Amino acid sequence: MQKVRLKWVKNRGLDHLIERTTSIRASCLLLDHLARLPTSSPVPARSLARLQKPLGLTVPVLRFLRRHPTLFAEQPHPRFPTLPSFSLTPASHTLLARLADASARDAHLRLARLLLLTRSRSLPLASVLPLRFDLGLPFNFAAAFPASHPGVFAVANNRISLLSASGLPEDIAVSSLQRRHAAAIDSATYRALSRPPSSSSAPLAFPMRFPRGYGGMKKVKAWMDEFHRLPYISPYDDASGIDPDSDIYEKRNIGLLHELLGLTVHKMVRRNAIRLLREELGLPHKFTRLFTRYPGVFYLSLKCKTTTVVLREGYERGKLVEQHPLAAVRDKVYYVMRTGVLYRGKGLSKLVLDEDVAEEEGELGGEDFQGEGMDEDADVECFGMDIVDDDGPTDDEDDEGDSDG
């Protein structure tokens, strides 16, 4: 199959969403960390400074805490009054309860699907922990899931395993692309079913959302038509008998990454987290080129001093197409954060946590709350629109893309 290498295109709308999700991630992890500390006294900020890199922050933790007084209340330390210390606000406790309730609904199903994607149906806990926020897992999932589902999960030797899928839904090993295709067939009209399928609307075709200027190129269309005509291999099926260097295996890898990103709450994940799963998922060593080679499916961003992969079809005009209840609660977290940024010390008196998000958006004085209005196509900044007939990026280019900024 002839491959067309497309140069990277910056998307301002998706970059904005990545920055927003990174801030939410840091706040949620800090809230969870502070809530689980055994002491009830304020926590010194210097003891949290080491968390800056794990939280993905580009600013010191102390500055981040002071920027959001509606979540973290600064109080004098009982023994050292001049030491900056912080505790949780009443709004934080309310949000923590809502986050726990929303994550408990189907978090075990997302973890089960992740384990089904692996070769051994097991993963080291150290590889799952970086995905805890992305998958919406509770902090004690390693102990809670085996206890609540004893015949399904087990933890041994610092690995979590899927023992059996008997107690899980029947479609647990059906990919999102297959479920969507089955739903489309059920809702299709007789006229649509009787029409012969064209190459551009072949069954189980990946939704493509190319940056402006790419979708209309004849070479790109011909390449995608040929790609979609290849047989679709479910990421949950055994692919050991397929040649790793074949086009079919590459499409299998695209389907696997598509399914992995679809399991996440915000349809995005950091590349370093995928690197920890690479061997178990059967991905090539330089898997980054899969993202850059298929920009209609994935978007690779360098924001927040790291590399993040976004599933393009997961967003429409700055909003999640299918919003998980946990994502809705995290929107509440962002609302509380923005209220503190805008009103500082008076932010707690401005909070209205029981109102709809639409009303909360009005409380922020028209601030872009969900990213609405950030048209992805309108906010594209292109860095070269030429295409190159090639089998893929050179080793030097891929090595450069595999290093986090």
Side-chain angles (χ1 to χ4, degrees), residues 53-362:
K53 186 175 181 180
L55 293 173
L57 292 175
T58 57
V59 298
V61 176
L62 176 59
R63 185 184 305 176
F64 183 83
L65 293 171
R66 284 176 169 171
R67 185 180 293 174
H68 305 105
T70 46
L71 289 177
F72 312 102
E74 185 170 3
Q75 299 176 348
H77 193 272
R79 293 183 58 187
F80 308 99
T82 58
L83 186 65
S85 303
F86 294 84
S87 62
L88 298 181
T89 64
S92 297
H93 290 288
T94 302
L95 290 172
L96 281 169
R98 296 186 183 183
L99 288 169
D101 179 66
S103 64
R105 300 183 183 184
D106 60 351
H108 68 288
L109 298 180
R110 290 193 293 275
L111 179 60
R113 285 194 167 98
L114 174 64
L115 295 175
L116 283 172
L117 291 175
T118 62
R119 295 173 172 176
S120 62
R121 290 194 173 188
S122 66
L123 281 172
L125 291 175
S127 299
V128 182
L129 287 176
L131 292 169
R132 190 169 70 84
F133 173 83
D134 302 309
L135 296 175
L137 303 178
F139 74 92
N140 62 339
F141 72 92
F145 286 175
S148 58
H149 304 86
V152 179
F153 299 101
V155 175
N157 299 324
N158 291 325
R159 293 181 69 94
I160 186 165
S161 305
L162 186 69
L163 300 178
S164 172
S166 58
L168 301 176
E170 295 181 357
D171 64 344
I172 190 68
V174 179
S175 68
S176 60
L177 201 62
Q178 291 172 318
R179 292 195 299 270
R180 185 184 309 157
H181 178 66
I185 292 179
D186 293 339
S187 60
T189 61
Y190 172 79
R191 177 177 298 180
L193 291 174
S194 61
R195 186 184 306 122
S198 62
S199 60
S200 61
S201 59
L204 297 179
F206 292 96
M208 295 285 181
R209 296 186 179 182
F210 284 99
R212 178 179 297 178
Y214 281 165
M217 291 183 177
K218 292 183 179 180
K219 287 187 177 181
V220 175
K221 285 186 175 181
W223 173 36
M224 286 297 99
D225 285 344
E226 187 178 358
F227 172 75
H228 284 146
R229 281 195 295 267
L230 294 173
Y232 174 80
I233 306 298
S234 173
Y236 297 104
D237 293 343
D238 184 15
S240 58
I242 305 176
D243 181 8
D245 297 326
S246 64
D247 294 334
I248 296 179
Y249 197 83
E250 178 171 310
K251 184 171 181 178
R252 175 260 178 193
N253 288 335
I254 297 299
L256 188 147
L257 293 170
H258 179 277
E259 183 70 11
L260 175 61
L261 287 169
L263 292 178
T264 61
V265 176
H266 296 280
K267 312 306 177 189
M268 65 177 68
V269 67
R270 292 175 298 173
R271 187 185 54 187
N272 283 341
I274 302 179
R275 182 179 286 119
L276 298 176
L277 311 174
R278 184 187 64 80
E279 292 186 3
E280 282 290 344
L281 295 179
L283 294 173
H285 178 67
K286 295 182 178 181
F287 63 89
T288 302
R289 65 176 60 188
L290 295 174
F291 302 128
T292 57
R293 189 178 292 169
Y294 296 89
V297 182
F298 310 108
Y299 173 65
L300 200 66
S301 174
L302 305 176
K303 296 297 291 186
C304 302
K305 296 184 179 181
T306 187
T307 306
T308 306
V309 186
V310 183
L311 188 64
R312 283 187 179 272
E313 67 181 80
Y315 287 90
E316 182 71 34
R317 297 188 64 82
K319 292 186 178 181
L320 283 167
V321 175
E322 298 178 0
Q323 188 181 53
H324 189 275
L326 183 57
V329 180
R330 289 174 177 175
D331 284 342
K332 296 275 187 178
V333 175
Y334 186 72
Y335 155 67
V336 176
M337 293 169 59
R338 293 298 301 161
T339 304
V341 171
L342 294 176
Y343 298 105
R344 306 305 302 164
K346 299 180 180 179
L348 288 174
S349 62
K350 300 287 185 179
L351 293 177
V352 188
L353 289 179
D354 293 332
E355 299 295 329
D356 294 335
V357 172
E359 296 180 7
E360 292 164 1
E361 183 177 358

